[in-house]
């Protein structure tokens, strides 16, 4: 419900038809369903088995010779079916819903540019303008605070800058212009003459002024119109099925490897490594000093060092300039790998959380919506946090894609095994007598028995 209301609040009252809003909410519902199903299984298993244990139904079945594993066997089969259903949903419905929702979100933002403006960063959605502001507020969220604008309409770079303490967005439905009214601001423009040399550009004057109110009309005709359900993006990693991911990933890896090979080749050529020669020891000229620079005079040594220093500096600069590109390409490839493995790993969350919730419910012997709800939320938050944590690590290449995707399963599986064993043996959640009291009593017995033997 929180996810639905957040997206509903973003688009309600923005001049968008109710049909488009309902479709967008429907696609959002399909996206959160794979996350809602596991927590539903977890909560229902804790509540159901906790209620049975609270009403001594387990005691009655055990007295009739029916063990706990045999009793929950039909539930295990049902959970396996739900895990398979979750996998089919993740592999077929989820990519379709993501395709529709993302394209609809992009089209809505282009049709209503005010929606696309986000506080705290430069917004580049509006043509010929880059806008940054600290806060967007007001009943219609059309009031801006601490505005900074780069006017790029002259196509001469960031030479025109406008700042203001307040701003207001005014736009009418169907209009080709969006009006931005600024208050209490400052205007600066560095004038550049076309074709002028660099020295003359630096000498050209700049104009500056302060204003109480300044109005900017932004042409948004290129953004308005069009079908809100038009599909512009189709190959994003979370829009593909497993078979499509399996076909896409090898191509991405080939392109990534080719990029690395080209950068390595360029580095090899820029350092002139091919000009280095290896001489056998038997052919070493004894007149040649071991320190290579000692074989040249002072001027030649200085030229050699300057040439080496410049080559190293160029190589470092090239490396720094390509480091972000390499990191971005690696991250882009990781997203596809993570999505491929996570489809299977997250599908098993229903089965995994059932083997945590079912024994936990029989151990705590409490049904209803109180304690079971708290435990279910706590366990699912832990599972979801570890899953997100693993995916983020894999995205940054700190872990492999398969390890990051299965990290939550690896961490939660021991808990499921321990709870299942203790529930099947009819033991409590924490046996303080076995873990604490008995070892302490045995320790004191051993100490006093040794003292008696010595006396």
């Amino acid at each position: 419900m929180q996810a639905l209301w957040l997206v509903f609040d973003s688009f309600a009252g923005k001049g968008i038809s109710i049909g488009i809003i309902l479709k967008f909410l429907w696609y959002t519902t399909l996206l959160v369903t794979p996350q809602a199903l596991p927590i539903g299984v977890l909560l229902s298993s804790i509540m159901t088995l906790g209620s049975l244990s609270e009403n001594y139904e387990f005691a009655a079945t055990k007295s009739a010779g029916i063990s706990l594993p045999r009793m929950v066997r039909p539930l295990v089969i049902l959970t396996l079916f739900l895990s398979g259903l979750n996998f089919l949903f993740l592999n077929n419905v989820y990519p379709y819903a993501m395709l529709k929702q993302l394209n609809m979100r992009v089209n809505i933002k282009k049709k209503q540019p005010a929606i696309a403006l986000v506080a705290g960063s430069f917004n580049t959605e509006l043509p010929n303008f880059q806008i940054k502001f600290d806060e967007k507020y007001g009943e219609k969220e059309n009031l801006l605070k601490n505005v900074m604008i780069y006017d790029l309409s002259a196509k001469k770079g960031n030479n025109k800058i406008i700042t203001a303490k307040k701003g207001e967005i005014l736009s009418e439905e169907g209009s080709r212009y969006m009006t931005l009214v600024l208050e209490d601001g400052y205007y600066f423009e560095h004038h550049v003459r076309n074709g002028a040399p660099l020295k003359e550009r630096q000498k050209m004057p700049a104009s500056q002024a302060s204003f109480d109110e300044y109005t900017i009309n932004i042409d948004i005709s290129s953004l308005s119109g069009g079908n809100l359900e038009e599909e512009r993006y189709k190959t994003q990693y979370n829009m593909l099925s497993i078979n499509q991911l399996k076909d896409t990933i090898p191509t991405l890896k080939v392109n990534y490897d080719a990029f690395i090979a080209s950068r390595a080749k360029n580095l090899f050529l820029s350092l002139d490594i091919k000009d280095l020669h290896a001489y056998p020891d038997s052919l070493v000229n004894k007149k040649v000093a071991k320190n290579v620079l000692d074989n040249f005079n002072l001027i030649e040594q200085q030229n050699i060092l300057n040439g080496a220093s410049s080559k190293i500096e160029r190589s470092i600069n090239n490396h720094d300039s390509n480091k972000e590109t390499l990191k971005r390409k690696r991250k882009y490839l990781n997203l596809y790998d993570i999505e491929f493995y996570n489809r299977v790993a997250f599908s098993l969350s229903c089965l995994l959380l059932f083997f945590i919730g079912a024994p936990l419910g029989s151990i705590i012997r409490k049904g209803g919506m109180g304690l079971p709800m708290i435990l279910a939320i706590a366990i699912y938050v832990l599972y979801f946090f570890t899953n997100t944590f693993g995916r983020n690590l894999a995205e940054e290449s700190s872990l492999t894609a398969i390890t990051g995707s299965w990290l939550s399963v690896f961490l939660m599986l021991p808990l499921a095994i321990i709870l299942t064993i203790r529930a099947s043996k009819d033991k409590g959640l924490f046996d303080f007598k076995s873990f604490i009291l008995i070892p302490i009593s045995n320790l004191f017995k051993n100490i006093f028995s040794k003292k008696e033997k010595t006396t």
Side-chain angles (χ1 to χ4, degrees):
M1 290 301 298
Q2 181 186 12
L4 290 176
W5 283 116
L6 284 176
V7 297
F8 183 80
D9 183 64
S10 300
F11 300 123
K14 309 294 184 180
I16 302 170
S17 65
I18 187 66
I20 295 297
I21 294 177
L22 291 177
K23 282 186 178 181
F24 190 87
L25 294 178
W26 168 245
Y27 295 138
T28 305
T29 304
L30 296 178
L31 291 177
V32 299
T33 298
Q35 299 179 11
L37 187 58
I39 193 174
V41 171
L42 175 64
L43 178 60
S44 60
S45 60
I46 295 178
M47 291 176 59
T48 303
L49 274 77
S51 179
L52 291 175
S53 182
E54 184 181 14
N55 296 322
Y56 299 99
E57 296 290 342
F58 279 144
T61 55
K62 289 178 181 178
S63 64
I66 302 175
S67 63
L68 178 63
R70 182 182 174 186
M71 184 178 180
V72 300
R73 192 178 301 163
L75 297 179
V76 175
I77 296 173
L78 175 61
T79 307
L80 284 171
F81 172 76
L82 291 177
S83 295
L85 183 64
N86 200 23
F87 172 76
L88 293 176
F89 204 96
L90 281 169
N91 194 42
N92 298 284
V93 180
Y94 180 84
Y96 170 79
M98 180 60 69
L99 171 70
K100 291 292 186 180
Q101 196 225 40
L102 180 62
N103 282 281
M104 187 175 289
R105 184 191 293 270
V106 172
N107 294 333
I108 288 174
K109 286 184 177 181
K110 287 188 174 183
K111 187 176 179 65
Q112 300 286 338
I115 303 175
L117 299 180
V118 180
S121 60
F122 279 101
N123 298 268
T124 60
E125 286 79 7
L126 299 178
N128 301 324
F129 287 91
Q130 291 184 2
I131 300 177
K132 181 182 179 181
F133 52 90
D134 292 343
E135 184 182 352
K136 184 164 62 172
Y137 62 100
E139 184 178 353
K140 298 181 180 180
E141 290 192 354
N142 64 331
L143 302 178
L144 309 179
K145 187 177 181 180
N146 295 332
V147 186
M148 175 183 289
I149 300 176
Y150 286 143
D151 188 348
L152 309 177
S153 56
K155 310 295 183 182
K156 297 180 181 179
N158 299 334
N159 295 316
K160 187 176 180 180
I161 304 174
I162 304 171
T163 59
K165 293 183 178 180
K166 294 181 180 180
E168 182 180 4
I169 300 174
L170 302 175
S171 60
E172 298 180 1
E173 185 176 357
S175 175
R176 61 172 295 179
Y177 291 100
M178 183 182 78
T179 302
L180 185 60
V181 181
L182 304 176
E183 298 179 6
D184 192 9
Y186 190 81
Y187 173 98
F188 174 86
E189 183 176 3
H190 180 73
H191 298 283
V192 178
R193 189 174 62 189
N194 292 332
L198 180 60
K199 293 182 179 180
E200 293 186 14
R201 292 185 192 179
Q202 294 175 349
K203 295 179 181 179
M204 292 188 67
S207 58
Q208 55 186 6
S210 59
F211 57 84
D212 295 329
E213 184 174 299
Y214 187 82
T215 302
I216 303 175
N217 292 317
I218 303 175
D219 188 0
I220 57 173
S221 57
S222 60
L223 302 179
S224 60
N227 184 11
L228 291 180
E229 299 186 61
E230 181 182 357
E231 298 177 0
R232 302 170 185 265
Y233 305 96
K234 299 181 180 180
T235 58
Q236 191 167 307
Y237 64 96
N238 48 11
M239 299 178 182
L240 305 177
S241 64
I242 283 185
N243 290 330
Q244 292 172 330
L245 288 170
K246 191 184 299 182
D247 295 335
T248 305
I249 290 174
T251 304
L252 295 176
K253 288 184 177 179
V254 168
N255 296 333
Y256 178 74
D257 294 338
F259 176 78
I260 294 179
S262 65
R263 297 312 312 158
K265 184 178 180 180
N266 291 337
L267 180 61
F268 181 85
L269 295 174
S270 63
L271 295 178
D272 294 331
I273 299 177
K274 58 182 177 56
D275 294 336
L276 297 177
H277 302 280
Y279 294 96
D281 293 340
S282 59
L283 299 178
V284 173
N285 189 351
K286 295 182 179 180
K287 295 182 180 180
V288 177
K290 292 183 178 180
N291 188 355
V292 178
L293 290 177
D294 292 340
N295 298 295
F296 302 91
N297 57 43
L298 185 60
I299 297 177
E300 291 175 339
Q301 289 180 9
Q302 187 176 6
N303 293 333
I304 291 172
L305 291 176
N306 290 335
S309 177
S310 62
K311 283 188 177 182
I312 292 174
E313 188 176 353
R314 284 199 304 270
S315 299
I316 293 175
N317 291 334
N318 289 334
H319 171 73
D320 292 339
S321 62
N322 289 284
K323 183 170 62 175
E324 291 300 324
T325 304
L326 179 63
K327 185 177 180 180
R328 186 172 62 253
K329 286 181 176 291
R330 180 70 254 185
K331 185 176 181 179
Y332 185 72
L333 178 58
N334 288 340
L335 290 174
Y336 284 81
D337 284 333
I338 294 168
E339 189 69 21
F340 179 80
Y341 293 111
N342 190 71
R343 294 282 176 87
V344 180
F346 202 81
S347 300
L348 296 176
S349 59
C350 294
L351 187 63
L352 176 65
L353 294 179
F354 172 79
F355 278 103
I356 294 176
L360 187 61
S362 64
I363 289 173
I364 64 174
R365 298 180 180 180
K366 187 69 176 177
M369 293 291 292
L371 181 61
M373 175 70 76
I374 297 175
L375 290 175
I377 293 175
I379 293 172
Y380 186 76
V381 166
L382 179 61
Y383 175 81
F384 189 77
F385 171 77
T386 53
N387 180 264
T388 304
F389 182 69
R391 293 187 60 165
N392 290 340
L393 288 178
E395 185 177 328
E396 299 297 331
S397 299
S398 300
L399 292 176
T400 61
I402 187 170
T403 304
S405 301
W406 286 84
L407 182 64
S408 57
V409 177
F410 296 151
L411 294 179
M412 301 291 286
L413 186 60
L415 176 63
I417 294 174
I418 292 172
L419 290 176
T420 303
I421 293 174
R422 296 190 68 82
S424 61
K425 293 182 178 180
D426 200 16
K427 293 184 178 180
L429 186 60
F430 298 106
D431 194 349
F432 291 99
K433 184 177 180 181
S434 300
F435 286 101
I436 299 176
L437 297 180
I438 293 178
I440 293 175
S441 62
N442 291 335
L443 178 63
F444 281 106
K445 286 180 181 179
N446 293 333
I447 294 174
F448 287 115
S449 63
K450 289 180 181 179
K451 288 183 179 180
E452 292 176 357
K453 289 180 180 179
T454 55
T455 56

